Amino acid sequence: VAGIVVLGAGQAGFQAAASLREAGFAGTLTLVGDETALPYQRPPLSKAYLAGKTEADGLALRPAAYLDAHRIAFRPGLVAEAIDRDGRRLLTAGGPIPYDHLVIATGARNRPLPVPGADLAGVHQLRGLADADALKTALEACRAAVVVGAGFIGLEFAAVAAARGVAVTVIELAERPMARAVSPETAAFFRNAHEASGVRFRFGAGLAAVEGRNGRVSGVVLADGTALAADLVLVGIGVLPNQEIAAQAGLGVGDGIRVDAFLATDDPAVSAIGDCARFPTRFAQGLAADGTVRIESVQNAIDQGRCLAARLTGRPAAYAAVPWFWSDQGPHKLQIAGLGAPGDAGVRRGTEAAFSVFRFRDGRLSAVESVNRAGDHMVARRLLAAGTSLTPEQAADPAFDLKALAV
Ligand code: FAD
């Protein structure tokens, strides 16, 4: 491969470019991204950055000098419009860029709020640095906030806002927070912790409309008619993969750009990684009928970037990394290894304040959620990587030596 173009300069795209150079790729390497900042980390946007504990310069994955030194031609602020697969060119607003191999790392975008009033001033979403800056400014004058969706980003925002003295109400269609992602035990812990910080929840609540005065949000109305006053609404109802450019080029998509175990699309000259990619993994067994998943996490973006760079420099290996994730909510740290599903059985280990839930699907360890218990998380990653299972009885037994099993 002589020339590689990476489309999308986020966590996955940057990693692929950096790992290609680290692996000795000597051809031309172009990194195209529609955002203007240097490639940056998103997790702090709903945590330390929002809370004013990290500055914008602290978010960049590497300084500009790194890109120069590694001959990564970074093209910020450039929107890719189409892929000309026959001509092997990425068509952009700034003209075509030829490639021998194209890496699609376009990430995901926030799901739009499908109710009247969603476009009022004061209704926010959080995905990029520009969103975070707008939200940070809005928080300064905010007294009452409504969060739509009790997922990770909504809850992280709720913790930061409540700590500033904002009255926060989280509305959620399901009966518990993070319902798709974590066990009822872990959800209950976080519900209690947020409530203890003053956050109020309304579960089983649908949003009917956002209301406003003079173009600015003044509150929301729930499906049951309840009205809640608010001067800020944060919408965190999940994301949609940025797959359209691949679909228009005739590549297979379906909640993500479809790739094989080596992260290649239907076209051997095009790969896809990160939030936009749907890939097969053994961790999806019993979770998805076709054995594929799309994962939104830093771990997945980094490990797929590395895996692809290895293949493109002559060391092909199927992608087999253990999925892991974290979320910081107020003083509490949640870490998840593996992929749980809503029906998985759960066994708890530890204390009230620091515990892990070991989850089992079809009798095998599927995921481990650790709350303020980083040691268990590291062991869980090793267990899942080795495919070592343990029994629910062993997991529940405080005397059982987990570390010894993971060696
Ligand atoms: P992205 O980082 O989204 O990068 C994709 C890039 O492609 C974007 O810059 C996008 O603008 C660009 N792009 C898209 N289409 C085009 C186009 N046509 N032309 C040019 N450029 C284009 N994960 C964790 O593991 N832990 C956390 O605690 C955590 N917290 C998070 C908090 C927030 C607020 C957010 C938003 C995400 C968080 N995540 C977290 C998720 C994590 O950040 C993502 O999984 C990761 O960024 C995915 O990397 P990516 O490169 O696939 O996508």
Side-chain angles (χ1 to χ4, degrees):
V1 187
I4 298 177
V5 173
V6 180
L7 166 57
Q11 189 87 53
F14 172 79
Q15 186 64 50
S19 293
L20 278 164
R21 285 301 189 220
E22 281 157 22
F25 174 68
T28 59
L29 183 52
T30 309
L31 181 60
V32 174
D34 57 7
E35 294 183 274
T36 50
L38 283 171
Y40 62 92
Q41 334 169 35
R42 297 181 195 281
L45 299 182
S46 50
K47 307 178 185 74
Y49 185 71
L50 192 63
K53 294 177 187 157
T54 305
E55 295 304 312
D57 340 338
L59 300 177
L61 290 164
R62 290 286 187 288
Y66 177 96
L67 297 170
D68 294 342
H70 291 80
R71 291 178 298 115
I72 298 170
F74 178 41
R75 305 280 306 268
L78 186 59
V79 180
E81 290 165 344
I83 302 165
D84 167 14
R85 283 171 53 203
D86 293 335
R88 295 212 175 163
R89 299 181 309 164
L90 180 67
L91 307 182
T92 78
I97 307 175
Y99 66 80
D100 296 302
H101 196 92
L102 175 68
V103 179
I104 307 179
T106 44
R109 62 182 178 277
N110 288 317
R111 196 181 279 278
L113 186 65
V115 302
D119 51 354
L120 287 164
V123 179
H124 292 260
Q125 297 242 13
L126 182 51
R127 179 76 201 172
L129 193 49
D131 301 327
D133 286 332
L135 192 56
K136 228 171 133 173
T137 305
L139 256 184
E140 281 165 20
C142 173
R143 293 170 62 184
V146 164
V147 176
V148 185
F152 296 111
I153 289 176
L155 294 177
E156 290 178 358
F157 167 82
V160 171
R164 295 182 57 106
V166 174
V168 183
T169 305
V170 179
I171 64 175
E172 165 61 50
L173 263 178
E175 292 302 330
R176 53 187 166 92
M178 304 175 283
R180 273 179 309 134
V182 307
S183 64
E185 293 85 346
T186 298
F189 174 89
F190 280 96
R191 175 186 179 160
N192 292 336
H194 286 290
E195 285 178 339
S197 312
V199 173
R200 267 168 298 187
F201 285 99
R202 293 210 171 226
F203 293 108
L207 183 69
V210 180
E211 305 223 293
R213 261 191 305 273
N214 305 325
R216 274 207 64 83
V217 62
S218 59
V220 303
V221 179
L222 306 184
D224 69 1
T226 309
L228 302 171
D231 47 29
L232 189 161
V233 171
L234 177 77
V235 182
I237 55 172
V239 299
L240 299 169
N242 290 323
Q243 63 185 20
E244 290 74 9
I245 197 165
Q248 282 153 15
L251 299 170
V253 301
D255 184 29
I257 303 167
R258 294 198 166 269
V259 295
D260 65 15
F262 294 86
L263 310 175
T265 67
D266 314 333
D267 179 343
V270 183
S271 300
I273 56 174
D275 281 15
C276 70
R278 172 166 287 276
F279 61 96
T281 166
R282 68 182 164 97
F283 297 98
Q285 266 170 29
L287 181 73
D290 68 353
T292 70
V293 286
R294 195 176 62 73
I295 297 184
E296 298 148 21
S297 78
V298 167
Q299 169 276 321
N300 187 63
I302 290 177
D303 286 339
Q304 291 197 335
R306 288 180 177 151
C307 176
L308 176 59
R311 167 160 63 87
L312 296 177
T313 51
R315 287 174 299 120
Y319 180 69
V322 176
W324 59 266
F325 182 81
W326 81 95
S327 172
D328 299 334
Q329 299 177 25
H332 302 295
K333 188 166 191 87
L334 168 64
Q335 293 166 291
I336 305 173
L339 293 180
D344 293 1
V347 170
R348 200 177 152 132
R349 184 181 174 96
T351 65
E352 279 303 305
F355 63 90
S356 294
V357 178
F358 285 70
R359 305 185 75 188
F360 294 86
R361 186 160 64 240
D362 303 327
R364 285 197 69 80
L365 187 66
S366 58
V368 179
E369 300 158 6
S370 300
V371 178
N372 304 324
R373 234 168 119 97
D376 281 1
H377 175 68
M378 296 314 294
V379 170
R381 276 159 56 174
R382 290 210 299 274
L383 288 176
L384 289 163
T388 313
S389 205
L390 72 171
T391 65
E393 293 71 29
Q394 288 170 328
D397 177 1
F400 181 76
D401 189 350
L402 272 183
K403 283 208 175 92
L405 186 67
V407 171

